[in-house]
Amino acid sequence: MKREEIRQRLKEVQSLPTLPPIVSKLNQMVSDEDVTAVKLGRIIEKDQVLTSKLLKMVNSSFFGFPQRISTVSNAIVLLGFNVIKTLIVTSSIFEVMQASDIGLFEHSLGCATAAGLVAKKLGIKNPEEVSTAGLIHDLGKIVLRAEMPQEYELVVETAAKRQQYMREVEQEALGIGHGEIGGILARQWNLPERLVYPIEYHHRPEASPDYADVSAIIHFSDIVIRALGFGFGGDKWVPPLDHQAWSRIKLGKTQMRQLLEELDEKLMELQDFTLDIQQDKKESA
Amino acid sequence: MQRIPLKLAQPGMVLAKEAVTSEGQVLCGAGTTLSQEILARLAKQEVLTLTVEGHPVSMPGEKTLPEKLKELDLRFSKVKDDPVLRALKTLIAEFWIIQEKGEDFLKNLKKGKAG
Ligand SMILES: [Fe+2]
Ligand SMILES: [Fe+2]
């Protein structure tokens, strides 16, 4: 399949659940200067299912707030509207992922957790947004799987057979990698650039036109979470590290040890969280 | 140190970390020796998991330390020449060894290698 053909098909993605209608309404509201978190929260809270999903996500350990967040407007104040919007836009995609690829789901949650911890260590502003970028960094893989299942299957199988990285096979077989695919979708959904670039450039962070620090963090967090063997990101190998990106992070040994310790704790909590979600699914099925 | 579901906790086990409810409320501190009464109280407060000293429970599907280290090696097999990633791999291996066997074990291991 040709790269252009794929780009074209992404414009009319069929197989993924459509964006909740609430998204366009929220987009309109946000451009209005006087809109408050309380007002936005009230609109979102009209949808109870969405609200409960949202609160579950914001209270999960990868954001790591000590107190429980119990209202949407509170979540908007604490996490910022970009994060809430991204969680709403991608909530149906995460449902698809939980059902079809629990390994990738765990990889994504793990990367989100690591990214948030690294961002905090580096003193980056709004670390929750960086976490969210980690959460959706492999968006392209989910889309590929849902929209072109045969091609996806072929890529995964070939990667395993030839012992290659998945994205090398993507480039060869499809002419486009999951980073670029994810970027296209994220842009189509009007996600902010601070989230779009890290998705698009997480495997070549130094090409990131802006927010190179966030792209570097996602790049490194993907490596750490694969190194630990948490979840499954499509192939089993630790990807190469971009050293220029690393120079933006450069944690020392002590800080790295600390990171591993904090991460270990949170990953154990995450496992409780994913079990919980699966339990909910069974109960509602 | 091992994290276990409350259901598998037994009297006599020692908490390595404080027991916390899902709401974040601390119920008992690290170092507490679990008793039947404490376990009943934790269950009532809906504590789901505990972190205890040592490695008292073998969980289904849980990998042993040598298995974990072998898989770690395999995952890094494509990036062996990168010094930063080599250091990362060593830190992870050391972290797991300390977690399961303690600081001293690792120190002795390193001494053994050096001598
Ligand atoms: Fe990726
Ligand atoms: Fe990834």
Side-chain angles (χ1 to χ4, degrees), chain A residues 126-193:
Chain A
N126 202 344
E128 291 77 23
E129 214 170 277
V130 182
S131 268
T132 308
L135 190 64
I136 54 176
H137 78 283
D138 275 335
L139 179 64
K141 285 185 189 165
I142 309 160
V143 178
L144 206 53
R145 183 190 193 118
E147 191 65 12
M148 298 161 231
Q150 281 168 339
E151 284 86 351
Y152 183 83
E153 205 53 35
L154 181 76
V155 168
V156 171
E157 271 171 27
T158 312
K161 200 165 64 197
R162 292 204 216 143
Q163 309 250 309
Q164 262 181 315
Y165 289 117
M166 192 170 155
R167 57 168 203 291
E168 288 174 347
V169 183
E170 284 167 356
Q171 280 301 349
E172 192 190 313
L174 312 172
I176 189 170
H178 65 268
E180 197 182 337
I181 293 178
I184 292 171
L185 256 311
R187 206 164 278 128
Q188 232 159 267
W189 294 335
N190 286 317
L191 296 187
E193 285 185 339

Side-chain angles (χ1 to χ4, degrees), chain B residues 1 4 11 16 19 32 41 43-44 50 63 65 78 87 94 97-98 100 102 105-106 109:
Chain B
M1 172 168 68
I4 56 171
T32 309
R41 192 158 57 88
K44 218 171 167 185
L50 294 175
K63 287 167 191 139
L65 183 58
K78 282 181 180 286
E94 288 182 358
I97 293 170
I98 291 174
E100 207 161 308
F105 184 89
L106 182 69
L109 202 70

Side-chain angles (χ1 to χ4, degrees), chain A residues 29-42:
Chain A
M29 281 187 77
V30 174
S31 51
D32 172 6
E33 294 273 306
D34 323 308
V35 76
T36 61
V38 176
K39 261 192 206 162
L40 283 171
R42 234 180 256 147

